[in-house]
Amino acid sequence: MHEMSIAESLMDQIIDIAETNHMESVAEVELETGHLRQVIPEVMREAFLAVTQGTIADGAKLIINEVEPLAACRQCRREFTPQIDDFLCPQCRQADVDILKGDEIILKSVVGN
Amino acid sequence: MKINVVKKVLQANDIVARKNREAFKAAGILALNFISSPGSGKTTLLEKTIPALLPERKSIVLVGDLQTTRDAERLAPRALQATQINTGMSCHLYANQIAESLECLSLTAGDFLFIENVGNMVCPGEFDLGENLKVILLSIPEGDDKVAKYPTIFRAADLVLLTKCDLMQALKFDVNLVKDDIAKLNANVKLLPISSQSGEGMEEWLGWLQEKRVEAIGKQSKFFTE
Ligand SMILES: Nc1nc2c(ncn2[C@@H]2O[C@H](COP(=O)(O)OP(=O)(O)O)[C@@H](O)[C@H]2O)c(=O)[nH]1
Ligand SMILES: [Mg+2]
Ligand SMILES: [Zn+2]
């Protein structure tokens, strides 16, 4: 359900980029979503379809690349792959981490003409 | 043509949030973002908290709801100022809604800014409002399995309040399950059972607020976009 909120913010950025670069239409949008943000690709696509309707990005292709998470333990600096509901360091058995990857939602590129 | 951007999708919100945080710091006020499901007891807790902090500590309240100004009306009598933000169809508050409300508030007169977010356990976690701390409420009737179901919001919490704890026995709520699930997510979050009805946990909650009022001014709350 948070996909709609994300799609709305995404749309604002697409319009911004299209205007700055004098695009008349947008053909493709590439998005990087961290696994920990729980963006469901099918739901994201639906939301994207809804927000782009009747805009310069109407019919644009949405590419979603999911990024695997990576955490680093703040106690022992060991790096490991956390689960959505489990951030325990395999060594210290404590959930005190820096997230190195997997927490971002990033607009990578816009293709248009 | 292809334009490579590499931009955080929620950046526009984050920029406004940062400005809000600077305004809170400049005014010396502590901003807390209250996040929970609808009906878990946010407004009731604030109704008890605001008078209990008086006369030393004065509170300003911003309440987000899809519709009505009822919550702001409930909180207005004891708060310095209480403003309702109607979000219409949006299931969370945005930083710019807070920024707009700030124009009509005099922050310097307050010690605490309590922001009651729209009842929702998912979207409010995505949108930084500029708060210094996130308080997540989980009410006993919602069930002891909810931390594992909404892990992301609990990972971002500074404090988890187990509200309506007067119902703990009757509903056979397993606190240890909640403790274990939270420990897997965030070793630094505190868990506090509280009841606005019986008063249990109230003293500790007020103590926590007073302590944070001193140490957390200007602090950036955890969120995922920066
Ligand atoms: N038993 C019990 N009920 C409570 C408590 N706190 C709130 N409630 C009830 O829960 C309902 C929803 O509370 P409210 O504060 O409006 O929740 P909000 O939607 O999170 O703001 C109301 O009927 C309250 O009376 C509590 O500590 N114990
Ligand atoms: Mg309320
Ligand atoms: Zn470790």
Side-chain angles (χ1 to χ4, degrees):
Chain A
M1 70 171 124
H2 63 150
E3 285 81 358
M4 198 62 203
S5 307
I6 295 165
E8 281 165 2
S9 302
L10 177 62
M11 191 62 222
D12 290 342
Q13 288 199 350
I14 294 170
I15 290 174
D16 228 40
I17 289 157
E19 275 174 6
T20 315
N21 296 284
H22 312 291
M23 290 178 180
E24 278 165 19
S25 69
V26 171
E28 193 182 284
V29 174
E30 191 184 355
L31 195 63
E32 208 174 81
T33 62
H35 179 71
L36 298 174
R37 297 296 286 279
Q38 293 178 282
V39 173
I40 302 165
E42 300 81 66
V43 182
M44 191 64 218
R45 266 177 232 293
E46 285 295 321
F48 185 73
L49 210 65
V51 299
T52 53
Q53 221 167 54
T55 72
I56 56 164
D58 203 335
K61 183 177 171 196
L62 177 66
I63 300 170
I64 303 173
N65 302 315
E66 213 187 62
V67 178
E68 281 304 306
L70 186 66
C73 176
R74 288 200 190 124
Q75 306 301 320
C76 71
R77 297 316 302 176
R78 179 174 169 156
E79 292 184 8
F80 64 98
T81 305
Q83 305 297 311
I84 294 279
D85 59 356
D86 189 346
F87 289 75
L88 293 174
C89 167
Q91 204 155 298
C92 319
R93 305 303 298 162
Q94 263 224 56
D96 185 19
V97 301
D98 291 318
I99 303 297
L100 305 180
K101 275 196 304 185
D103 243 351
E104 305 269 55
I105 303 177
I106 293 173
L107 172 58
K108 294 288 279 192
S109 67
V110 175
V111 177
N113 48 56
Chain B
M1 90 182 104
K2 179 169 180 169
I3 308 292
N4 292 311
V5 257
V6 192
K7 230 176 155 184
K8 287 164 187 162
V9 169
L10 305 181
Q11 195 178 53
N13 183 76
D14 294 348
I15 290 169
V16 181
R18 202 173 308 142
K19 284 190 190 139
N20 291 347
R21 190 155 24 244
E22 282 163 12
F24 302 149
K25 189 177 180 182
I29 196 167
L30 185 74
L32 301 101
N33 187 357
F34 286 68
I35 301 174
S36 77
S37 303
S40 56
K42 296 182 291 298
T43 311
T44 311
L45 179 66
L46 288 173
E47 278 176 315
K48 300 279 177 186
T49 304
I50 293 165
L53 290 166
L54 288 170
E56 295 83 24
R57 299 294 193 193
K58 298 182 184 66
S59 307
I60 298 173
V61 201
L62 291 175
V63 195
D65 266 310
L66 302 186
Q67 288 297 337
T68 83
T69 55
R70 282 183 196 166
D71 281 5
E73 284 160 21
R74 280 167 66 187
L75 296 168
R78 306 306 297 276
L80 215 50
Q81 281 174 291
T83 305
Q84 186 88 40
I85 301 169
N86 280 136
T87 58
M89 291 303 285
S90 175
C91 55
H92 60 88
L93 287 169
Y94 286 94
N96 62 12
Q97 292 171 316
I98 304 300
E100 278 166 27
S101 306
L102 295 187
E103 287 170 18
C104 322
L105 297 175
S106 74
L107 286 182
T108 44
D111 300 292
F112 291 101
L113 176 66
F114 296 122
I115 306 171
E116 178 178 334
N117 216 312
V118 182
N120 180 329
M121 294 283 256
V122 183
C123 302
E126 304 271 352
F127 291 85
D128 183 17
L129 303 179
E131 72 270 16
N132 306 114
L133 299 164
K134 277 190 184 63
V135 178
I136 314 301
L137 283 71
L138 172 64
S139 69
I140 299 298
E142 290 170 69
D144 49 25
D145 61 343
K146 291 303 176 292
V147 174
K149 286 188 177 171
Y150 300 97
T152 308
I153 198 69
F154 288 97
R155 181 157 61 91
D158 292 286
L159 174 70
V160 175
L161 292 175
L162 272 183
T163 57
K164 310 191 189 182
C165 75
D166 51 287
L167 301 171
M168 187 114 55
Q169 297 277 308
L171 297 175
K172 299 190 172 59
F173 189 95
D174 185 355
V175 186
N176 287 324
L177 180 60
V178 170
K179 258 186 208 156
D180 290 349
D181 283 347
I182 290 178
K184 281 186 213 160
L185 295 169
N186 184 348
N188 304 313
V189 67
K190 188 177 159 72
L191 176 71
L192 176 63
I194 192 164
S195 168
S196 298
Q197 198 149 302
S198 71
E200 190 186 332
M202 212 58 178
E203 208 167 309
E204 208 176 329
W205 157 239
L206 294 171
W208 184 86
L209 280 174
Q210 297 288 12
E211 183 188 310
K212 294 296 170 187
R213 176 70 186 62
V214 177
E215 68 174 49
I217 294 249
K219 174 186 181 289
Q220 181 177 312
S221 173
K222 275 166 272 174
F223 66 107
F224 312 111
T225 48
E226 216 168 45

